[in-house]
Amino acid sequence: MANDIPPTTSMPSPAWHALEAQQARDVLHSDAQGLTSGEARLRLARYGPNALPEGPRRGLLRRFLDQFNNVLVIVLLVAGAVTLVLDHLLDAVVIAGVVVVNALIGFVQEGKAERALEAVRAMLPSTAIAWRDGERVTVRTEELVPGDQVFVQSGDRVPADLRLIEAVNLRVEEA
């Protein structure tokens, strides 16, 4: 089965919602009994884990210095330098103070945003129920692969991009 899948780093992305369930299974080389454990391992090796990529983390100094990479901040710094050259020390100090306070506020807000993003990642489900080898098994969400059939129950968070095959009284709450 793995040899039928084109050697790419991602699965083809047709309009899954427009395909019949069996057509979607055919495109993904899957069947109603799900994937075998061996096939799932092969696909995991080929397509990688079901996880959002994390960018490189910036250090505190880099994050603070990035606050000065803004056109308006640069204009203020130039204005402060010109004011200093014109011997208006008080005005130059006030402009520098505004720039530093602005940088500190941006630095703190960016730190809070990064912590909030980490909290959202922590809220995502860490396991899912999928068909493997013809039976329902619990797998880590990072191990879900294209072609897996996933069961979502009341109260579950959706662990990946999914194409619904069957639903009973489905209600969705977007966050």
Side-chain angles (χ1 to χ4, degrees), residues 17-175:
H17 64 281
L19 296 177
E20 293 294 326
Q22 190 56 49
Q23 288 176 310
R25 286 185 185 120
D26 291 344
V27 169
L28 293 168
H29 305 286
S30 184
D31 62 32
Q33 296 300 309
L35 300 173
T36 64
S37 295
E39 180 63 22
R41 277 192 302 277
L42 289 172
R43 291 183 186 199
L44 183 62
R46 176 174 278 177
Y47 302 112
N50 173 44
L52 296 173
E54 289 190 34
R57 298 201 45 106
R58 295 181 302 163
L60 294 177
L61 180 61
R62 180 79 235 160
R63 202 172 79 212
F64 180 72
L65 292 176
D66 282 347
Q67 302 304 313
F68 297 95
N69 189 16
N70 181 312
V71 174
L72 292 176
V73 171
I74 292 170
V75 167
L76 278 173
L77 289 173
V78 169
V82 169
T83 306
L84 188 61
V85 168
L86 294 175
D87 203 27
H88 295 286
L89 185 60
L90 181 60
D91 292 339
V93 168
V94 169
I95 291 172
V98 167
V99 169
V100 169
V101 168
N102 179 64
L104 287 172
I105 291 171
F107 175 78
V108 169
Q109 292 293 67
E110 203 169 305
K112 287 181 181 180
E114 286 180 4
R115 285 190 297 279
L117 184 58
E118 289 171 10
V120 167
R121 281 193 178 129
M123 286 174 30
L124 295 176
S126 57
T127 61
I129 299 173
W131 271 118
R132 293 273 173 94
D133 299 316
E135 57 186 51
R136 290 182 185 197
V137 295
T138 301
V139 296
R140 294 180 348 156
T141 56
E142 295 85 15
E143 296 172 357
L144 290 175
V145 295
D148 263 331
Q149 293 185 51
V150 180
F151 292 90
V152 181
Q153 303 173 51
S154 178
D156 285 355
R157 289 186 170 87
V158 178
D161 287 345
L162 302 175
R163 193 266 186 222
L164 290 177
I165 293 176
E166 184 179 329
V168 177
N169 295 329
L170 176 68
R171 288 179 18 163
V172 177
E173 181 180 321
E174 286 189 68

